Amino acid sequence: MKRAGFAVTWLPMLLLLPQLSIIAVFFYWPAAHAVHSSFFLQDPFGFGSTFVGLDNYTDLLGNAQYMKVAGFTVVFTLLVTFFSLAIALLLAVKADTVLRGAKTYRTLLMWVYAVAPPVAGVIGILMFDQSHGPLTEFFNSLGWEFKLGVNYNDTAFAMVVVSVWKQIPVNFIFLLSGLQSIPKSVREAALIDNRSASGRFWDVTFPLLAPTGFFLLIMNITYSLFDTFGVIDTVVKGEPGNNPMSLVYKVYVDGFRGNDLGGSSAQSVVLMVLVLALTIFQFRLVERRIHYT
Amino acid sequence: MTDTLTAQSAATHVRHRKIKWNTVFDHLVLIAGSLMMIVPLVLVFLTASLPDTEIIKEGLQFKLGDQLGPNFQKAMFESSGFTNENTGMVMLKNSMILGVGFAVGKIVLGMMAAYALVYFRLKFATFAFWIIFTTLLLPLEVRILPSYEVIQGLGLMNTYTGLIVPLIASATATFFFRQFFRSVPEELVEAARIDGAGPVKFFVDILVPLSQTMIAAMFIIMFVFGWNQYLWPTMITTDEGMFTLVRGIKQIVQDFEGSNIPEYGRANLLAIIAVLPPVAIVVFFQSWFVKGLTESDK
């Protein structure tokens, strides 16, 4: 709050009212509802529900399919986060070094940010199309019979590729502005001390980028968990069947298709706890963040 | 730039070669990266210009056909689906309404809340701040089913209100404007008060004009975000006249699976149209966009 603020009380309340009421109706109410119904077993046709306590949760833990989905989610998140960060870092470092055409490269590399995940999924389907996708043909020529939507691993591979492709621009933008905010004096000093470019990168640039990196790490994990919904839904064409899916997608599938309201709610609550943990972790990191400027 | 290069190359021949090869390598990496991002869209675009039968026979190709016009006609004005309401034009209109409504709503609500939090002596300011903050913990994907039930209970299925309102309250815009208002010099409020300006006048006449660039940056980011919404429109619009382009993608995918000849051209053109407005905005306003993005999320 500013020292020289206004002393009226009715106005700030009025100003906060729309924001807070929307939060209450569309955030807290549904969240409370999810927690509540996670303790009940609901009749799929809407004829009442029975209190089952923690059964929905214990069912999840004992459910092999849920564990498989959880396992896939972990692997998927690790792969997407690693590759999208690594490729974006390489590109950002190069874009920061070149003097000619830097702006053109930036434009070419960032536009995919604006592509909606399901549209990215559609582009992926075309590239990996069974009969005439260019990437499928390429893999076939290498002796890898790529079967999107049929082979579990192949489908997972396509999901990872599309998700990484979609996420590179975001990481690129953040890493590039992180690199460009490193003071010139620091770079010049490093240039005198260390002749090798890679040595300079790992000893000076990389640690200076670490705060941005931590932030992006959390952001990428969140992206892989939640925002890839559109990618997964289009790649599996709404027919999960035996295809890989993420935890978030399973909440949707069980709740909307399977009408397993209690189970879906329990899954929602598990995810909420996961997000909570991630947020706390993020704030711990931000608190400890070292400021170099 | 050229001068320093020639000076260096004059200094030592060996060094000159080394520097040059490094630069060539840098450019190669960047070109490869750019191609990786661009080629898929170019292919989709080219495919949209070929007759469907040719794609089925030959697959995706790097050549421009003559079907762009007819396919555009089909995608935008011919209806698909069960009802006759699902044309590209209708979806484009719905996407625009969602994108603009979402962006404007977020900015207005965010600015109001941030103003209340920064400029007033309010007892429960910290509490309100934490309430807004906790929304970060509840992404839509986590509370899918109950949110759907709430909207259904309120009778907001297949309405623009139901499409926009539940999405516009969130922490990001509020935090962003809060941060910005805090950086505004305090002398401004003092001066305004001495001149007899009330809180409303100060907000409308001084703070809002001052925030113009920030508002623009937010608008770009939020418009793209709103336009690209998928899960929420998928859940609450069942009426084909309410589909957005991104929501319509589901139909596009089903077109690939159709029992008749898949309408690749039409589907790809719709995908291109779904991509163009947000991409154009991001490319044209990239400096604002990058500024807004890097400053808002940190």
Side-chain angles (χ1 to χ4, degrees):
Chain A
M1 197 195 67
K2 299 239 170 186
R3 266 178 288 124
F6 297 99
V8 238
T9 42
W10 59 271
L11 186 67
M13 288 190 191
L14 203 70
L15 288 169
L16 280 167
L17 190 69
Q19 180 89 295
L20 293 180
S21 43
I22 290 178
I23 290 174
V25 175
F26 297 110
F27 282 77
Y28 281 112
W29 186 10
H33 195 79
V35 174
H36 173 83
S37 54
S38 72
F39 296 116
F40 287 85
L41 189 67
Q42 241 140 354
D43 185 280
F45 300 103
F47 300 116
S49 53
T50 18
F51 181 79
V52 291
L54 289 172
D55 277 9
N56 285 322
Y57 292 96
T58 43
D59 279 358
L60 280 187
L61 291 175
N63 187 326
Q65 206 214 344
Y66 186 74
M67 283 305 158
K68 192 182 173 190
V69 172
F72 172 75
T73 309
V74 171
V75 174
F76 176 77
T77 304
L78 287 177
L79 289 174
V80 171
T81 304
F82 176 78
F83 282 107
S84 56
L85 271 175
I87 297 172
L89 181 63
L90 175 70
L91 292 169
V93 169
K94 297 299 177 201
D96 187 41
T97 329
V98 301
L99 298 158
R100 259 171 234 273
K103 220 184 154 208
T104 315
Y105 287 129
R106 195 180 78 168
T107 310
L108 288 175
L109 287 166
M110 67 182 271
W111 70 272
V112 171
Y113 170 88
V115 175
V119 180
V122 166
I123 296 176
I125 293 178
L126 279 172
M127 301 300 286
F128 288 106
D129 188 282
Q130 276 265 15
S131 39
H132 37 61
L135 287 175
T136 313
E137 283 172 10
F138 172 70
F139 292 136
N140 285 347
S141 71
L142 295 179
W144 173 11
E145 254 185 77
F146 194 90
K147 284 189 179 131
L148 181 72
V150 179
N151 183 307
Y152 184 92
N153 288 331
D154 290 355
T155 313
F157 178 84
M159 279 175 186
V160 171
V161 170
V162 175
S163 306
V164 168
W165 181 73
K166 170 79 192 89
Q167 185 65 4
I168 286 173
V170 182
N171 294 337
F172 173 76
I173 293 165
F174 277 96
L175 290 169
L176 185 61
S177 41
L179 283 170
Q180 287 175 343
S181 68
I182 294 175
K184 231 184 166 177
S185 52
V186 175
R187 289 169 186 246
E188 279 163 3
L191 204 64
I192 295 168
D193 283 349
N194 199 336
R195 269 294 191 78
S196 103
S198 69
R200 277 202 306 275
F201 176 77
W202 291 113
D203 291 344
V204 181
T205 316
F206 195 74
L208 283 173
L209 265 186
T212 313
F214 280 132
F215 165 76
L216 283 179
L217 191 68
I218 302 288
M219 211 167 108
N220 279 282
I221 293 174
T222 321
Y223 162 82
S224 318
L225 285 174
F226 299 108
D227 296 339
T228 49
F229 181 93
V231 173
I232 295 175
D233 193 39
T234 36
V235 169
V236 304
K237 298 179 175 128
E239 301 291 335
N242 185 34
N243 285 318
M245 57 175 151
S246 68
L247 286 171
V248 169
Y249 197 66
K250 193 166 161 55
V251 173
Y252 169 79
V253 169
D254 286 2
F256 270 82
R257 301 278 170 74
N259 266 329
D260 175 12
L261 301 184
S264 172
S265 299
Q267 291 180 34
S268 287
V269 176
V270 170
L271 283 173
M272 278 184 222
V273 174
L274 198 66
V275 182
L276 182 70
L278 270 174
T279 314
I280 292 172
F281 182 62
Q282 183 180 10
F283 271 81
R284 279 281 165 85
L285 282 177
V286 171
E287 268 173 23
R288 278 190 214 150
R289 199 164 108 179
I290 316 148
H291 295 279
Y292 289 96
T293 37
Chain B
M1 174 52 226
T2 19
D3 287 347
T4 48
L5 263 188
T6 38
Q8 276 173 344
S9 64
T12 50
H13 180 66
V14 184
R15 197 153 161 218
H16 163 78
R17 277 191 61 155
K18 198 182 165 197
I19 287 168
K20 207 178 159 198
W21 280 116
N22 275 343
T23 316
V24 169
F25 178 69
D26 290 350
H27 280 280
L28 282 180
V29 170
L30 286 167
I31 290 168
S34 305
L35 283 178
M36 181 173 77
M37 301 320 264
I38 288 287
V39 167
L41 193 80
V42 172
L43 256 179
V44 171
F45 179 77
L46 291 177
T47 309
S49 76
L50 294 168
D52 295 332
T53 42
E54 197 175 324
I55 295 159
I56 292 157
K57 266 186 278 175
E58 322 262 339
L60 305 187
Q61 294 165 68
F62 280 99
K63 69 171 189 189
L64 191 65
D66 57 351
Q67 292 297 304
L68 211 52
N71 276 334
F72 182 77
Q73 182 75 20
K74 259 201 287 185
M76 290 310 275
F77 304 109
E78 233 171 71
S79 56
S80 66
F82 301 114
T83 61
N84 288 326
E85 291 159 352
N86 190 18
T87 65
M89 275 313 268
V90 171
M91 291 196 279
L92 185 68
K93 186 191 84 185
N94 291 337
S95 283
M96 277 292 174
I97 292 174
L98 176 59
V100 173
F102 180 81
V104 171
K106 273 213 167 198
I107 289 169
V108 170
L109 287 193
M111 281 186 91
M112 279 164 62
Y115 182 52
L117 289 174
V118 175
Y119 282 94
F120 293 87
R121 293 189 192 94
L122 202 60
K123 272 187 206 121
F124 61 91
T126 326
F127 180 64
F129 177 78
W130 277 101
I131 288 188
I132 297 170
F133 180 78
T134 48
T135 57
L136 282 179
L137 304 178
L138 303 168
L140 175 67
E141 289 82 357
V142 160
R143 49 194 167 83
I144 302 174
L145 209 61
S147 299
Y148 171 83
E149 285 171 346
V150 167
I151 288 297
Q152 206 180 25
L154 294 173
L156 292 174
M157 296 282 291
N158 290 313
T159 62
Y160 290 122
T161 319
L163 210 53
I164 297 168
V165 173
L167 296 177
I168 60 177
S170 91
T172 329
T174 312
F175 289 171
F176 177 64
F177 283 112
R178 178 173 166 267
Q179 214 57 36
F180 177 69
F181 290 164
R182 281 175 147 191
S183 71
V184 172
E186 296 206 10
E187 287 75 20
L188 268 180
V189 203
E190 283 162 21
R193 286 178 74 187
I194 292 166
D195 284 350
V200 178
K201 200 171 165 50
F202 173 73
F203 183 61
V204 175
D205 287 349
I206 298 174
L207 216 50
V208 172
L210 213 59
S211 321
Q212 258 176 10
T213 10
M214 299 293 143
I215 292 174
M218 271 282 112
F219 186 87
I220 294 163
I221 293 168
M222 293 306 175
F223 175 82
V224 172
F225 202 69
W227 178 283
N228 285 350
Q229 284 297 318
Y230 176 65
L231 178 58
W232 188 243
T234 304
M235 285 191 315
I236 71 151
T237 59
T238 44
D239 184 351
E240 290 185 338
M242 287 300 292
F243 281 10
T244 63
L245 279 167
V246 177
R247 163 71 176 90
I249 291 291
K250 238 190 154 85
Q251 257 55 34
I252 295 177
V253 175
Q254 272 152 18
D255 279 352
F256 290 154
E257 302 281 284
S259 49
N260 305 323
I261 299 172
E263 292 186 287
Y264 283 107
R266 187 181 155 276
N268 286 337
L269 229 130
L270 275 176
I272 297 271
I273 293 165
V275 159
L276 274 184
V279 166
I281 284 175
V282 163
V283 169
F284 281 125
F285 300 103
Q286 41 175 302
S287 56
W288 281 358
F289 166 76
V290 171
K291 199 175 173 210
L293 193 69
T294 45
E295 280 176 10
S296 68
D297 278 321
K298 263 188 178 171

